[in-house]
Amino acid sequence: MILTVTLNTALDLTYRVRSLRPRASHRVTDVIERPGGKGLNVARVLAALDHEVTVTGFTGGATGATVRALLAEVPGVTDALVPVAGATRRTVAVVDELAGDTTQLNEPGPQVAPAEWAAFLRAYDGLLSGASAVALCGSLPPGVPVGAYAGLVRAARTAGVPVLLDTSGEPLRRGVAARPDIIKPNAEELAELTGSHEPSRATRDARRRGAHAVVASLGPQGLLAVTPDGAWRAAPVAHVHGNPTGAGDSAVAGLLSGLVEHLPWPSRLARAIALSAATVRAPAAGEFDRAAYEELVGRVAVTGDVSVAQRP
């Protein structure tokens, strides 16, 4: 079983409009609801890849009830979410069909009480015993300690469970120091962590700070991975147009599934790139176009440079 942790779950709403214009009224042509938050998106993609997945984190209120009802319809995903008194947040993606762009609106999430955090920690410790890998994903809701991910990384390492961390800011900085197996920052998050805007230098610096392997998302330029086994760049064969919401989460699913299947790094990166591109082509967050994935996975360009991992 793969465990994904989403402390700040969401109900993802995708609105499609013909053209998004400021200060104007719009007719929505389509509305899609999905259980969201980064870890839930990761779980849905993993389940579609035929992995058994358990999701945990927080959920509450009427929005949380909708999230759980929608999760119950996803084959292969087990709900182990922890209830809170506050209401689960909503995220709204507005897709401009004419421009091909997406505007994202994210609510902050519910206030988590100390007793609710303690209940989650007990649930998490119990779930680790049956996990083959764990993904810690997304932002922290109000009330959760800023060092929360560092503690969750240490607990996974103590249990002998490989852990992937995908967050940003101070939670990422503290989490890296706890020595996760993989981190997956984007270029902005990596620069904030290391102070360097040069990806190769920044990824090496992130490894020195504690991460076992660093996979940096460089947008249209693909992924840069620096690991103990070497360094690789992976890129799609062409730019993909569509809705980018959830594309990074699909990349995490590719990396995590490759980890538990013991794939070599180039195969993990090719899968991550293909899943990410196939998600951009899909109409809703956290979904991927399977036909596009199967078409793209064999066409990802992965180039290696073992020396990068050893440079100072």
Side-chain angles (χ1 to χ4, degrees):
M1 174 268 287
I2 298 175
L3 177 64
T4 72
V5 175
T6 313
L7 296 177
N8 212 2
T9 56
L11 177 64
D12 282 346
L13 302 172
T14 302
Y15 294 157
R16 301 186 75 88
V17 299
R18 175 63 178 165
S19 177
L20 183 62
R21 304 179 308 280
R23 299 177 298 279
S25 178
H26 298 79
R27 185 178 297 278
V28 176
T29 59
D30 190 32
V31 180
I32 300 174
E33 285 187 333
R34 292 288 187 274
K38 294 178 74 64
L40 296 192
N41 291 339
V42 171
R44 194 162 44 246
V45 175
L46 285 169
L49 294 172
D50 298 322
H51 287 278
E52 292 185 3
V53 191
T54 296
V55 298
T56 191
F58 295 113
T59 186
T63 311
T66 301
V67 167
R68 301 191 88 155
L70 292 169
L71 266 180
E73 300 173 2
V74 182
V77 175
T78 299
D79 177 355
L81 294 166
V82 175
V84 292
T88 295
R89 65 187 179 132
R90 294 160 298 181
T91 66
V92 179
V94 183
V95 180
D96 184 325
E97 295 177 337
L98 193 61
D101 294 330
T102 301
T103 300
Q104 189 83 12
L105 304 173
N106 298 324
E107 295 179 358
Q111 180 76 31
V112 176
E116 294 168 335
W117 176 239
F120 167 79
L121 291 177
R122 290 192 296 272
Y124 177 73
D125 286 341
L127 290 166
L128 283 175
S129 63
S132 57
V134 59
L136 308 174
C137 302
S139 60
L140 301 179
V144 172
V146 70
Y149 281 135
L152 299 183
V153 169
R154 285 192 289 268
R157 288 179 57 82
T158 299
V161 179
V163 56
L164 183 153
L165 176 62
D166 183 17
T167 188
S168 60
E170 186 65 12
L172 174 60
R173 189 184 71 80
R174 297 196 187 195
V176 167
R179 304 187 65 79
D181 293 86
I182 305 172
I183 63 169
K184 196 210 72 64
N186 61 31
E188 181 181 346
E189 293 162 350
L190 188 62
E192 183 181 4
L193 173 66
T194 66
S196 174
H197 291 272
E198 200 289 305
S200 294
R201 179 179 302 161
T203 49
R204 295 195 303 273
D205 185 26
R207 280 203 67 219
R208 284 194 294 269
R209 290 168 184 258
H212 191 65
V214 181
V215 181
S217 176
L218 306 180
Q221 286 73 48
L223 299 173
L224 170 62
V226 178
T227 81
D229 302 320
W232 292 268
R233 289 182 182 267
V237 293
H239 182 66
V240 180
H241 296 280
N243 180 3
T245 305
D249 305 330
S250 291
V252 169
L255 295 171
L256 206 58
S257 62
L259 170 67
V260 299
E261 293 172 30
H262 307 289
L263 297 181
W265 271 104
S267 297
R268 299 186 203 182
L269 297 171
R271 179 180 290 181
I273 288 285
L275 284 170
S276 180
T279 298
V280 172
R281 289 192 185 179
E287 304 292 336
F288 72 95
D289 185 317
R290 181 171 288 276
Y293 164 67
E294 292 173 353
E295 169 202 344
L296 292 167
V297 70
R299 300 170 55 203
V300 176
V302 182
T303 56
D305 183 354
V306 177
S307 66
V308 172
Q310 281 87 40
R311 289 176 191 165

